[in-house]
Amino acid sequence: MALADEEPMTSQHQRKRVKHSALAASAALAVVAAVAATAPGAGAAQSGTPGTPKLKLIAASSAVTLDRWEGEGERGVFLDLGTYVTVDGAPLEFKVKRKSYKDPVVAQQVLRDGTKTTTRALPAGLVKDFSGLPGFLEVSVKNAAGQEVAKTKGSFCPNNASGRIRPDAPARSHYPESCPTNPFTLGSVWGVEKGWASNSSTVDYDKPLDLPVGQYTAKVRVAKKYRDLFGIPDDRPTIKVTVREETGGGGGMGLTARSGHGAHHAGGPAGDHYGPRGADAPTPGALSHALEDRGLAHHLGDGRGHTDGSRIAPALKAADKRPTGRAGVPANVPKPDLRSLPAWDIAITDGEDGDVPGKDYLAFSANVWNAGPAPLVVDGFRSPGKDLMDAYQYFYDASGKQVGYTPTGTMEWDPRIGHEHWHFTDFASYRLLSEDQTKEVRSGKEAFCLANTDAVDYTVKNANWHPYNTDLSTACGEQNSISVREVLDVGSGDTYTQYRPGQSFDITDLPNGTYYIQVIANPAKRLQETNTKNNVALRKVVLGGEPGKRTVKVPPHDLIDAR
C-alpha cells in the first residue's frame, strides 16, 4: 500500500482511469462469443475428478488496441489484454480468512460435487491478502522487431468481470463481484461458476507500462506454481497489441458531474482542494478501483455492458408509512452485530471542505461493519416541513417477515458538497484519545449515510454476497425525500475515506506525542445488536513536527502495516 504522503491522485489521473475502464469494458464484451467458440467442452461439462474444476487460459480476442496517455508525471498504457480463465466441470471456489490481525491470511479451495463438499488448503504463504492469487499471470511483450521490451506479472481475482461460456451454464453468478482491498478485511469468498470465464487481467493503475506508440505482440501464460496446483494446461495465448496516442474521447464514454450523490464515500466533488501533502487523495489500493471511480463513469455497475467487476446496486425502498402499534423487539429475533475497524489511510492535511485553511488536521479513513447474523435496517420518515426525519430500526424473522421495530434516533440532511444526502445520526463517532487512553482530546461525532461499500467478511453467517444500496448516488435520498431506507448488510462495512468533509481532527494546538484514534460503532447504544462489547477499535498514531509542518507516524496494527 502506498503511503499517504505520496502525490495526490489528480482529476486528470482519475479521468485516465475512467478511460481505461471504458476500454476494458469494450474488450470484455466479446468474451461470451469468443470463449464459446474456443473453450474446451463448449456445450458440455468437462469430465474429470468429481468436484474438481477444469481450468484453461484463453484470449477473448487475438488483437487489442490500447491508448497511450501522458500527464501528471506518468505515461504509458494499461495492459488489459482480455485474457480469461475458463472454468468447467465444477465451480472454482476459495474461502480466504484470517482469525485476527495477529494471524496470517489462509486460503482453502472449496470442492463441490453435488451435495458433497470438501476443502483443501492452499500452500501456506501463497495468498498474502484478499485481492487475489498473486503472480498468477506472466506476460511478455515484444516489439515489431521481435525484441522483448517488457515483462510483467499479475494477480488473478476470480471475482473479476466474467461471463458464461456455455448456454446451459448458470444464468447468474452467485459469487461476489470483486476481491476486497480494504487493509482490515477479515474474510472473503472468491469464485467462478461452472461454465463461466473470469477476466484474468489485473491492471495496476499506478504503474502504467511505458510502451511507445506502435505494434507489439504479447504472450500470456499461467505461472508454473498455479499450473501445477490446479492442473492448468501450459497454454500461451498470443495477442497482437496496437498502442495508439490517446484521442481524448475516453472511448466514447462521458464523465458525469462529480456531485455528492455520485462521490459520497470514495471520490470528491468538482473543485476539491488537494493539499500539498496529498491527504485528500485516496491511497492507491485502499479501495477497489471500481469504487474509486464510482460517480465518474456511466458504465460502472451491474447491467448490460457493465463488465468491469464493479457493482452499483439500487437503494432499497423505505416502508410506505411509519410503523404503527406498540414498538417492541422479540427477545430471540436475529439482530445485527456492529463492529469497528481500526482507522487507516492516516495523514496530515491543511484543511478540506468544512475545515479551516491554515490549520493542521489529522485525516483518516474509518469503517463500521456488520458481522450479522441479521442486516441493520433503518428507515427515516419526515413530517411535512421538518428538517429531521424520525428513524426506526426494523427486525425480521428467519423467513424475512417483519416482527418488530423500535425508534432509534434521527436522520438529518447534510448539505456539504461531497455528502448531500440524509445521514443517520446515531451510527458511529470518532475520538482522539491521550496516550494512556483515559482522556478524550478531540471528538468528531459523525452522521452517516449507510451503504455497503466494502466486503469486510463474507465468511460470517448469513453474509450477503450481493448486497443492495452499494451505489451511493441513490442510497440515502434527495433533499426533498419524504422517507429513506438505509441498510448495512451482513458481511459488509461502510467506509468513510480521509478526504470526506469532517473526516479529521483539528490538531493545530495539540502537543507532539502518542495518541489513539478511536472509532466507535453505535455510540449511544440506541441500535439493537447481538453484542455491544465489540464496538470500539483503536489505532495508534504519533504526532510530530511543528505548526504548518506537522507529521504523523502510524505503527503497524499487529500484522497490518497500513498507515
Side-chain angles (χ1 to χ4, degrees):
M1 172 170 291
L3 298 180
D5 59 359
E6 291 184 346
E7 290 297 318
M9 184 177 71
T10 64
S11 297
Q12 183 177 1
H13 190 176
Q14 289 175 315
R15 288 195 295 270
K16 303 302 180 182
R17 293 186 178 180
V18 173
K19 292 176 181 178
H20 162 73
S21 297
L23 292 175
S26 299
L29 285 174
V31 66
V32 176
V35 177
T38 60
Q46 292 297 300
S47 61
T49 305
T52 302
K54 189 165 186 176
L55 311 182
K56 184 177 177 65
L57 179 68
I58 62 96
S61 178
S62 60
V64 298
T65 299
L66 305 176
D67 281 341
R68 173 184 172 84
W69 59 270
E70 297 191 24
E72 303 297 335
E74 293 182 288
R75 61 186 181 183
V77 299
F78 298 120
L79 199 62
D80 189 347
L81 300 174
T83 57
Y84 286 74
V85 174
T86 67
V87 176
D88 222 331
L92 176 67
E93 183 176 329
F94 301 96
K95 182 178 180 180
V96 190
K97 192 171 178 63
R98 56 183 164 210
K99 293 180 180 179
S100 73
Y101 298 128
K102 297 180 180 180
D103 298 291
V105 175
V106 294
Q108 291 181 322
Q109 183 178 5
V110 180
L111 304 174
R112 300 186 183 279
D113 178 20
T115 58
K116 182 180 179 181
T117 300
T118 58
T119 62
R120 68 162 179 161
L122 299 191
L126 178 67
V127 175
K128 298 178 175 58
D129 56 29
F130 297 91
S131 63
L133 298 170
F136 185 87
L137 283 190
E138 298 175 342
V139 182
S140 171
V141 181
K142 295 183 178 181
N143 61 17
Q147 300 171 316
E148 186 175 69
V149 294
K151 290 182 69 175
T152 184
K153 294 183 178 181
S155 298
F156 171 48
C157 167
N159 296 347
N160 205 357
S162 57
R164 294 192 296 171
I165 62 175
R166 297 191 277 105
D168 61 334
R172 292 181 59 86
S173 172
H174 80 287
Y175 293 107
E177 283 92 345
S178 61
C179 293
T181 53
N182 186 305
F184 289 99
T185 300
L186 288 163
S188 183
V189 175
W190 305 336
V192 184
E193 296 282 6
K194 178 178 69 173
W196 282 60
S198 178
N199 192 323
S200 60
S201 298
T202 299
V203 176
D204 189 340
Y205 291 98
D206 304 300
K207 295 180 181 179
L209 194 62
D210 190 6
L211 292 180
V213 171
Q215 302 294 321
Y216 300 87
T217 300
K219 184 169 288 187
V220 186
R221 71 187 301 190
V222 176
K224 185 178 186 302
K225 60 183 177 181
Y226 292 108
R227 298 199 309 268
D228 294 343
L229 184 60
F230 301 120
I232 305 173
D234 190 13
D235 296 309
R236 305 181 188 186
T238 299
I239 302 102
K240 294 186 180 300
V241 179
T242 299
V243 175
R244 67 184 182 187
E245 289 287 357
E246 178 201 6
T247 62
M253 183 212 67
L255 299 177
T256 64
R258 295 183 67 192
S259 70
H261 303 302
H264 167 72
H265 290 40
D272 257 358
H273 166 67
Y274 286 90
R277 303 172 188 84
D280 326 78
T283 298
L287 298 172
S288 69
H289 290 300
L291 188 58
E292 288 175 6
D293 287 338
R294 184 160 304 159
L296 296 176
H298 291 295
H299 78 281
L300 294 179
D302 292 332
R304 291 189 61 185
H306 300 168
T307 55
D308 65 341
S310 66
R311 176 179 63 243
I312 295 184
L316 294 173
K317 184 180 178 181
D320 294 332
K321 56 185 178 181
R322 295 171 186 258
T324 58
R326 180 176 295 180
V329 184
N332 59 348
V333 70
K335 298 183 183 70
D337 181 10
L338 300 180
R339 304 181 185 182
S340 300
L341 297 184
W344 79 97
D345 216 11
I346 300 167
I348 302 295
T349 183
D350 60 353
E352 302 303 320
D353 296 313
D355 294 335
V356 180
K359 288 195 171 187
D360 294 313
Y361 292 89
L362 181 66
F364 58 95
S365 295
N367 181 294
V368 172
W369 70 287
N370 181 6
L376 172 65
V377 180
V378 179
D379 278 4
F381 297 93
R382 186 180 189 180
S383 298
K386 299 295 184 181
D387 294 329
L388 293 177
M389 289 188 180
D390 298 319
Y392 300 84
Q393 183 182 359
Y394 290 83
F395 305 90
Y396 303 84
D397 61 18
S399 63
K401 179 183 177 181
Q402 181 185 321
V403 293
Y405 76 93
T406 184
T408 187
T410 60
M411 292 185 184
E412 64 182 6
W413 174 257
D414 191 331
R416 292 177 295 176
I417 294 175
H419 291 284
E420 296 182 294
H421 40 221
W422 290 90
H423 278 179
F424 177 50
T425 58
D426 297 283
F427 181 64
S429 66
Y430 311 133
R431 297 167 187 172
L432 189 62
L433 304 181
S434 59
E435 183 173 10
D436 62 4
Q437 302 178 31
T438 62
K439 182 180 179 183
E440 178 183 312
V441 295
R442 288 292 183 272
S443 178
K445 187 177 187 302
E446 279 292 311
F448 284 74
C449 160
L450 305 186
N452 301 297
T453 65
D454 291 41
V456 177
D457 192 348
Y458 275 6
T459 68
V460 297
K461 182 180 178 181
N462 294 338
N464 183 358
W465 299 350
H466 294 266
Y468 281 91
N469 70 306
T470 60
D471 178 12
L472 301 162
S473 67
T474 62
C476 300
E478 307 290 342
Q479 187 171 11
N480 60 359
S481 296
I482 194 70
S483 60
V484 171
R485 167 161 289 191
E486 299 186 9
V487 175
L488 191 63
D489 226 317
V490 179
S492 289
D494 186 11
T495 289
Y496 269 66
T497 53
Q498 62 170 221
Y499 46 100
R500 293 296 83 221
Q503 195 72 21
S504 60
F505 297 110
D506 181 355
I507 60 168
T508 305
D509 59 354
L510 284 185
N512 293 336
T514 298
Y515 298 87
Y516 286 85
I517 297 175
Q518 183 185 57
V519 181
I520 309 173
N522 192 16
K525 293 184 171 54
R526 292 181 178 175
L527 293 169
Q528 297 290 313
E529 297 187 64
T530 59
N531 185 1
T532 59
K533 296 181 180 180
N534 54 13
N535 290 17
V536 177
L538 297 172
R539 190 71 194 274
K540 183 178 181 179
V541 295
V542 182
L543 298 180
E546 57 188 49
K549 296 182 180 179
R550 299 299 294 270
T551 63
V552 60
K553 295 182 180 179
V554 185
H557 184 87
D558 295 329
L559 296 180
I560 312 301
D561 191 8
R563 61 166 294 170

